[in-house]
Amino acid sequence: MDFLIKKLSPNLQKQFLSEISLGVVGTAYSNGAFLNYIKNTLGLKLSMSKTGIKHLSEEGKKFDISTYFESNGHGTLAYNETIKGKIEKLSSLIESSSDAQTLELLSIYVSMFNQTVGDSLTDLICIESSLKLLNMTTEELYYIYNELEYVNIKTVVKDKNIFITTEDETRLVHPLEVQSFIDKTIEKFPNCNARCFVRPSGTEDILRIYAEAETEKVAVEIADIVKKYLSENY
Amino acid sequence: MESTEEAQKYFDKSFENILIALEEYDSKLTKIDKEFSCGTSGFRYDENELDRVAFRIGIISCIKSQILGGLPVGIMVTASHNKYTDNGFKIAGEGGRMISPYWEGIYTKLVNAKNLSYTLKNIIEELVNSNVSVSKNFDKDIHAIVLLACDTRRSSPKLVGIITDCLNILNANFKNYGIQTTPALHFLTLLNQITFNTKSHKSFDFVHSEEYWKFLKNGLRTFNLFYEKIYYKNIERNEPNKYEGEFTIDCSNGIAAYHYKKIIEIFGETAKIHSYNTNYSEITALNESCGAEYVHKEKKIPINYFKDAYVKNVSYDGDVDRIVYL
């Protein structure tokens, strides 16, 4: 998407971006390196959602065209009904045949996705088409950013219901002591892009602990410290 | 419970007879003493606990369709990436999308109802008076339109059978699409809704399942034609074509396995696909040491993986709504 838009002539590109909002929806489990790439390298709008595909799809509605994916491989690219009309309107600004073709390819690309729900077959078709368009190997795709190492563990607590997270589930609003313990733990590992959060499981009577860092060793260490603290105190 | 005038019209003699028939069938199904809940992706439990849940999901889907003026509603019987002994249900609602939390609550309420007739009447009254209903004059003569599909699990045919019985009692207009992926059922629900909205209710014809595969094939074909004939010529290329048009697909011994020939067909000349874990008839093999969930959670390569000649591997989950590259 981004690649195609940047192929448009500057004037059309500017108009495209002011008429049509593009956004990427991630969750607390989205890899930090991915979020960084979207936000800082590509400069795209990033919106965080609660875990669960229906929440991501809801968050995506804030944009005309949104890409939403969970780290488990569930997601799609969604657009709203105004998009076809908006692209048509932009065609008056076409400056070259390349503009016309790029704009047409953009609407073809967008309409290839299953709009109802995340669909791994349309995703496969579109990823393969994108690789072809970008002239990239899978290996190059893999290395456009270096994924952070992560660990996902669980711990049993007396009452999971006292643990309340922010809307995007990346921080606890209650109990605050736990959040500040996590913050202090993270501070002990500077310069390794460390991140950690806990959230109650939706279905089981447990807490889930997620930790992420440049090395697996650090991620595991953080998760273990937090787990130990939780099982001793809650 | 006091009935409103509109809802009362619905509870006439013929409706009471339907209720009796529903009660009779429902009471013969195994009763499980637990509170069922609707998670992120619908209801998901052990295959032996789901008979009554299936029946009641059938009822609510009919009511949902009727409340929406006969709009087609989809029911997918699947437990996605779970082990082969589980099963479950996902519902495709308005726009073919997943149902809203409000509707999840309605489904959960009936699934867990102690007294089926009483709760069902209650729900209908609530719906008629809510803003989801298309009309305040609930027309019980509207035929519900329901679409069914299922995965390759051993318990799927039985659960589809129970839902079918339910739809027959309620005199619904329905189509069983057989084994389809979850996204395909959602997509077909949307197509049926579009057909429904453009035609009169009487002449409604169900959309053929091939329409989904045509959508995939045409999407890729349109892209390729445009890309190769027009775009490729204009693009300034100083580097060789690096696209790797050959890869392996881990079908997780599920629905992707059932449809793997169709997947290969979509790509045609574009890419050469080698599929494996395609043994969907081996019931215990589903998602076992393979599939998207296994690769993602366990961070392991799927069983039967063959790397040598191919650089790309794609893993699907049991009902083909998730994809992981390896």
Side-chain angles (χ1 to χ4, degrees), chain A residues 3-4 7 51-55 57 61 69-75 97-98 100-102 104-105 108-109 111-125 127-141 149-152 203 216, chain B residues 38-40 95-99 104 181-184 186-187 190 212-213 215-217 219-220 222-224 226-228 230-231 234-235 237 239-244 247 249 263 266-267 270 273 292-293 296-297 299 311-312 314 316 320-325:
Chain A
F3 169 81
L4 284 175
K7 282 249 167 278
T51 306
I53 199 71
K54 63 185 171 197
H55 301 297
S57 123
K61 286 184 186 159
F69 268 93
E70 289 194 290
S71 57
N72 63 19
H74 199 179
S97 63
S98 154
Q101 286 160 10
T102 307
E104 191 176 342
L105 196 52
I108 291 172
Y109 187 74
S111 62
M112 280 161 75
F113 287 89
N114 186 340
Q115 289 304 296
T116 59
V117 73
D119 183 338
S120 60
L121 281 175
T122 57
D123 292 345
L124 172 70
I125 292 169
I127 293 168
E128 289 302 317
S129 299
S130 307
L131 287 173
K132 210 165 151 182
L133 189 67
L134 298 166
N135 201 26
M136 264 174 114
T137 65
T138 323
E139 200 178 351
E140 285 170 333
L141 175 71
E149 298 290 335
Y150 62 90
V151 47
N152 214 336
T203 43
E216 194 174 349
Chain B
C38 186
T40 315
R97 291 186 300 271
M98 281 183 265
I99 53 171
E104 283 178 6
T181 72
T182 297
H186 280 266
F187 186 81
L190 173 64
Y212 172 71
W213 299 98
F215 161 72
L216 298 182
K217 229 192 223 167
L220 186 63
T222 315
F223 176 88
N224 279 341
F226 197 84
Y227 173 80
E228 274 150 24
I230 308 161
Y231 200 80
N234 291 327
I235 204 162
R237 275 263 160 83
E239 50 186 23
N241 189 1
K242 289 195 282 186
Y243 176 69
E244 304 142 336
F247 54 92
I249 292 185
I263 298 172
I266 295 169
F267 278 89
T270 312
I273 298 171
E293 176 77 359
H296 171 66
K297 279 268 161 67
K299 296 190 206 166
V311 283
K312 282 193 262 198
V314 171
Y316 283 143
V320 203
D321 59 3
R322 286 165 45 175
I323 179 167
V324 173
Y325 268 70

Side-chain angles (χ1 to χ4, degrees), chain B residues 199-248:
Chain B
K199 283 187 179 171
S200 77
H201 197 260
K202 288 238 159 30
S203 66
F204 178 79
D205 283 325
F206 288 100
V207 170
H208 198 278
S209 63
E210 275 305 309
E211 292 300 322
Y212 172 71
W213 299 98
K214 271 192 216 159
F215 161 72
L216 298 182
K217 229 192 223 167
N218 289 342
L220 186 63
R221 195 194 293 137
T222 315
F223 176 88
N224 279 341
L225 276 177
F226 197 84
Y227 173 80
E228 274 150 24
K229 293 216 172 101
I230 308 161
Y231 200 80
Y232 192 75
K233 279 181 200 152
N234 291 327
I235 204 162
E236 282 171 38
R237 275 263 160 83
N238 297 319
E239 50 186 23
N241 189 1
K242 289 195 282 186
Y243 176 69
E244 304 142 336
E246 189 163 13
F247 54 92
T248 60

Side-chain angles (χ1 to χ4, degrees), chain B residues 247-260:
Chain B
F247 54 92
T248 60
I249 292 185
D250 161 19
C251 294
S252 208
N253 299 313
I255 305 172
Y258 183 83
H259 284 303
Y260 85 91

Side-chain angles (χ1 to χ4, degrees), chain B residues 12 15 24 64 87 90 102 111 117 170 210 227 272 315 318:
Chain B
D12 64 1
F15 183 74
E24 196 189 327
K64 180 173 166 67
N87 215 329
K90 293 178 175 180
Y102 175 80
V111 162
S117 301
L170 285 161
E210 275 305 309
Y227 173 80
K272 200 163 181 224
S315 274

